[in-house]
Amino acid sequence: MQQRVIDTALIGTALAGLLVTGVAAGATHGSPADEPTAQKVTGQQVAAHKAAGQQLIGHNVTDQLVSGHKVTGQRVSGPKATGQQATGQNDMKAAPHATAKPVKKGPKALLSGKTKASYFWDDGSGVNGDTGAPAGGKPMQKGLFASPSWPMHTKVKVTYKGRSVTGFVGDRGPGEPSHRGVMLDLDTYTFRHLVDGKKPSSKYNTGTSAGHLKGVKYEVLSWGHGAGKKGAPKPLG
């Protein structure tokens, strides 16, 4: 009787050893028959996997972030991560894409060129050779220019040394100087602004020693409907 008990104990011990050995061997060779619940993926294990093209199949994931989703006690059965790593940390939210605002452009010039410009202020007062009110029918004002040939109320932008003013043709002139290449007469405010960005000492006097500005750029933005001719400026008369 004692011998039989001893034999039974020996057999049980041997079977337990074989069972342990079989489990160890299966774990070593990555047996596909392992139960999903037999392994728990921790932050260290998940961090070891590349997310691109990898699948976490049959693992219980605890407090991990897979492809931007937090899974707790859930079975992950094949979600593919795209270009990310599952590291067990909360991913930072992607910054919103900046949208470029379209740049506003001004009207395209219908005609452009350079000329020599003089200045005037005719308001019917007779000051400094004032010959009367502007021929275009609008009162003398800032941004009113005189042209020897362009149609009245033509919109013109003038630029000199980086400073610009947009005005309109409201009078005829200059007279005789237009035959010497002076194709624009500018009001005193525009003229002084182009010189140095300041204001004239009075509307009749620019407050500078300059009588003409050479190389003033002009851009015709729209043609007026008044009397005159479109195209390159022509001398008066």
Side-chain angles (χ1 to χ4, degrees):
M1 183 61 125
Q2 183 178 3
Q3 181 65 34
R4 181 176 294 180
V5 172
I6 292 172
D7 290 342
T8 303
L10 289 174
I11 292 171
T13 303
L15 289 174
L18 288 173
L19 181 59
V20 171
T21 303
V23 172
T28 303
H29 295 290
S31 173
D34 290 341
E35 287 294 327
T37 57
Q39 295 193 27
K40 179 171 289 188
V41 180
T42 64
Q44 291 80 7
Q45 289 173 316
V46 178
H49 291 280
K50 291 281 186 177
Q54 294 272 345
Q55 288 185 336
L56 299 179
I57 304 176
H59 293 286
N60 287 335
V61 182
T62 305
D63 293 334
Q64 302 297 325
L65 192 66
V66 181
S67 295
H69 297 283
K70 192 171 184 180
V71 183
T72 305
Q74 300 287 334
R75 182 182 297 274
V76 181
S77 58
K80 288 187 178 180
T82 57
Q84 302 275 337
Q85 283 188 346
T87 62
Q89 301 293 331
N90 290 331
D91 293 340
M92 295 296 292
K93 291 183 178 180
H97 295 289
T99 55
K101 295 182 178 179
V103 179
K104 293 183 178 180
K105 296 182 179 180
K108 186 177 180 181
L110 303 177
L111 177 72
S112 63
K114 289 187 177 181
T115 188
K116 186 182 291 186
S118 54
Y119 69 87
F120 78 112
W121 191 276
D122 282 354
D123 58 5
S125 63
V127 177
N128 293 336
D130 184 358
T131 58
K138 293 189 176 182
M140 192 68 206
Q141 58 191 280
K142 299 176 185 178
L144 190 153
F145 310 152
S147 167
S149 60
W150 287 338
M152 290 293 171
H153 312 302
T154 291
K155 188 176 182 180
V156 184
K157 179 181 178 181
V158 291
T159 304
Y160 182 76
K161 292 186 176 180
R163 289 178 287 272
S164 299
V165 175
T166 299
F168 67 97
V169 174
D171 204 357
R172 283 283 171 249
E176 188 276 332
S178 66
H179 294 270
R180 293 184 281 111
V182 184
M183 294 296 180
L184 272 177
D185 231 353
L186 308 175
D187 68 276
T188 52
Y189 287 89
T190 296
F191 190 94
R192 179 61 189 265
H193 178 77
L194 296 184
V195 171
D196 55 15
K198 298 181 180 180
K199 294 180 180 180
S201 55
S202 75
K203 58 185 179 181
Y204 301 108
N205 189 349
T206 64
T208 68
S209 59
H212 298 86
L213 295 179
K214 186 178 180 179
V216 172
K217 180 182 178 181
Y218 63 80
E219 296 173 89
V220 175
L221 304 181
S222 64
W223 294 110
H225 298 291
K229 293 182 179 181
K230 300 177 182 179
K234 305 292 183 182
L236 187 65

